[in-house]
């Protein structure tokens, strides 16, 4: 750009309409959502299971994630090699994902091959083999990930913050993928038991997205899932109790570290919160975008960090709210002081009108960019099923964003940000940062020489 020239102004937001969703049911009662979308030859078939990590006890944490990982290991009819070859023969890509509230398994392929790909997906969910050799391979991968998380300062900060924000026994106080002590004793029989107890038609739904005749799509779904009968239990409600209602500071000591990983936050909101749209606008203004208050302060004005973010993690229960950044040891205390200042400031005075307008325009502008493939659309529909959102939720998404006012965001800040309850976690050299933290008067400072899998529980 030539010197003295201003960047071009933003153009008008392009129109976009989320495709219509047709609800149907299979003969056994399984909920089906059909989305007819002219996205080319590719279609996505997905099975949504209300079988996330919330359904797992702390002693078996990681089991739901590990079970979905191992679905590719073969079925009662097909070995892992035969299953991979069958998917390859129809050009289908497979994906499984497990979160706190659900597991989704999906195939994407050309429309003409869905009638062959969908039964393979159903086999994986209905009759997984979980052969010991294959299962062990996936378990070892999860164990390696758990070990790496304890060695990675950023991941360690995330896990430690959750541990100290949530009470003993709280669902969200542990890592989603499990810890070494839980993963070490899990075997193929545990995965079989979890699938038998949690994968069933009463807690399942099917989503099909793409250029496919609805009658043909229903015939495919009926053939794959219509004769599925199994009694399963109801998924337990998550426990999201906070550890404390008072400020506290926890330092995870890593002698020799030249940087501090910082997490500041508390228990946040659940996905069903009535001011959800005001809350996501609030988060964008505080720390959810490059032009957020936190980033303009800590990165642009003070040069403390390359970046800082804030996030709410809404789930069936209230997930964590957290501000995340990394800074040099020497400015750790100063950076945390500014984080507190920004949180307290937006609670006290709310946002200004320009901030709200910018955040609304951003959310409306990026909305269609996240819905360009059949898989992305299927994932959004899956979320609607899991969280009980209305059928027109995404068709009215932009209108709801546009309707958020400055007063709405200010009210959300007062309701959902609680400066007096902020828990601060620093992963770094305690010898370099503890004295700085003591001087901030943001709660008692606790130094932990080691955070093992069960520390803080």
């Amino acid at each position: 750009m030539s010197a003295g020239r201003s960047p071009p102004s933003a153009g008008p937001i392009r129109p976009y309409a989320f495709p219509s969703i047709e609800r149907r049911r299979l003969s056994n009662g399984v909920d089906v959502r059909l989305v007819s979308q002219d996205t080319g030859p590719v279609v996505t078939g997905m099975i949504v299971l209300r079988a996330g990590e919330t359904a797992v006890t702390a002693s078996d944490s990681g089991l739901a994630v590990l079970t979905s990982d191992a679905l590719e290991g073969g079925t009662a009819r097909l070995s892992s090699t035969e299953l991979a070859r069958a998917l390859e023969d129809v050009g289908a890509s497979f994906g499984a994902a497990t979160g706190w509230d659900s597991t989704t398994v999906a195939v994407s392929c050309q429309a003409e091959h869905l009638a062959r790909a969908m039964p393979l997906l159903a086999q994986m969910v209905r009759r997984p083999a979980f052969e010991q050799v294959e299962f062990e391979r996936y378990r070892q991968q999860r164990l390696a990930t758990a070990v790496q998380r304890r060695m990675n300062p950023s991941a360690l900060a995330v896990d430690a913050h959750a541990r100290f924000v949530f009470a003993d026994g709280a669902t969200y106080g542990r890592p989603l993928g499990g810890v070494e002590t839980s993963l070490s004793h899990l075997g193929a029989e545990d995965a079989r038991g979890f699938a038998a107890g949690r994968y069933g038609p009463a807690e399942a739904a099917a989503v099909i997205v793409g250029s496919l005749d609805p009658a043909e799509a229903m015939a495919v779904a009926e053939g794959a899932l219509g004769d599925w009968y199994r009694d399963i239990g109801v998924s337990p409600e998550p426990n999201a109790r906070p550890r404390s209602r008072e400020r506290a500071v926890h330092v995870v000591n890593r002698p020799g570290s030249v940087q501090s990983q910082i997490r500041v936050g508390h228990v946040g909101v659940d996905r069903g919160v009535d001011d959800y749209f005001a809350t996501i606008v609030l988060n964008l203004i505080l720390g959810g975008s490059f032009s957020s208050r936190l980033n303009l302060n800590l990165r642009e004005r003070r040069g403390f960090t390359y970046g800082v973010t804030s996030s709410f993690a809404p789930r069936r229960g209230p997930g964590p709210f957290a501000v995340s950044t990394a800074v040099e040891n020497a400015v750790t205390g100063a950076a945390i002081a500014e984080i507190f200042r920004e949180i307290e400031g937006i609670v006290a005075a709310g946002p200004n009108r320009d901030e709200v307008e910018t955040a609304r325009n951003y959310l409306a502008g990026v909305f269609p960019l996240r819905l360009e493939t059949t898989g992305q659309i299927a994932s959004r529909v899956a979320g609607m099923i899991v969280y009980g959102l209305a059928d027109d939720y995404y068709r009215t998404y932009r209108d709801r964003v546009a309707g958020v006012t400055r007063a709405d965001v200010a009210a959300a800040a007062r309701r959902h940000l609680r400066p007096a309850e902020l828990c601060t976690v620093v992963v770094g050299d305690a010898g370099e940062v503890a004295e700085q933290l003591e001087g901030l008067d943001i709660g008692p400072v606790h130094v932990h020489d080691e955070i093992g899998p069960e520390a803080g529980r």
Side-chain angles (χ1 to χ4, degrees), residues 47 49 71 105 120-128 195 199 228 230:
I47 299 174
L49 303 160
L71 291 177
V105 291
L120 295 173
L121 190 69
Q123 276 193 56
M124 298 166 78
V125 170
R126 297 175 59 180
R127 300 181 183 90
Y199 292 6
W228 189 19
R230 175 188 292 163

Side-chain angles (χ1 to χ4, degrees), residues 5-221:
R5 289 188 180 181
S6 300
S9 58
I13 296 173
R14 296 182 180 180
Y16 173 81
F18 192 85
S20 60
I21 302 170
E22 183 178 352
R23 281 199 194 203
R24 297 197 183 185
R25 285 196 179 275
L26 300 182
S27 57
N28 60 351
V30 169
D31 180 19
V32 180
R33 310 290 173 96
L34 303 178
V35 183
S36 296
Q37 176 80 337
D38 185 12
T39 52
V42 175
V43 299
T44 294
M46 176 180 286
I47 299 174
V48 184
L49 303 160
R50 296 177 185 86
E53 273 293 318
T54 298
V56 175
T57 63
S59 61
D60 290 339
S61 67
L63 176 58
V65 174
L66 182 54
T67 299
S68 68
D69 285 349
L71 291 177
E72 277 190 280
T75 72
R77 296 180 182 177
L78 300 171
S79 69
S80 61
T81 302
E82 291 169 335
L83 177 60
R85 186 178 296 119
L87 289 168
E88 185 177 308
D89 285 346
V90 295
S93 62
F94 169 79
T98 295
W100 289 106
D101 301 319
S102 65
T103 290
T104 58
V105 291
V107 288
S108 293
C109 61
Q110 290 192 340
E112 62 193 82
H113 296 312
L114 185 66
R116 294 171 62 191
M118 198 71 179
L120 295 173
L121 190 69
Q123 276 193 56
M124 298 166 78
V125 170
R126 297 175 59 180
R127 300 181 183 90
F130 299 125
E131 294 292 342
Q132 185 59 45
V133 172
E134 287 290 336
F135 180 84
E136 182 62 18
R137 178 163 62 89
Y138 292 104
R139 190 180 73 90
Q140 289 298 328
Q141 290 173 357
R142 279 291 158 189
L143 272 169
T145 298
V147 172
Q148 290 168 0
R149 289 191 69 83
R150 287 201 297 110
M151 298 174 63
N152 181 288
S154 178
L156 180 58
V158 170
D159 293 346
H161 193 247
R163 196 166 287 135
F164 292 124
V165 162
F166 292 98
D168 290 347
T171 308
Y172 304 142
R174 62 185 195 244
L176 175 68
V179 295
E180 294 156 76
T181 52
S182 62
L183 293 167
S184 62
H185 75 260
L186 295 178
E189 68 280 2
D190 297 299
R192 293 191 197 101
F194 182 79
R198 295 301 322 147
Y199 292 6
E203 291 284 285
V207 178
I208 299 178
V209 180
S211 300
L212 201 66
D213 178 77
E216 294 177 6
M218 283 301 295
V220 169

Side-chain angles (χ1 to χ4, degrees), residues 257-272:
S257 294
V258 297
Q259 274 196 327
S260 296
Q261 284 285 341
I262 298 170
R263 302 293 183 272
V264 178
H266 51 55
V267 176
V269 301
D270 62 66
R271 185 58 182 82

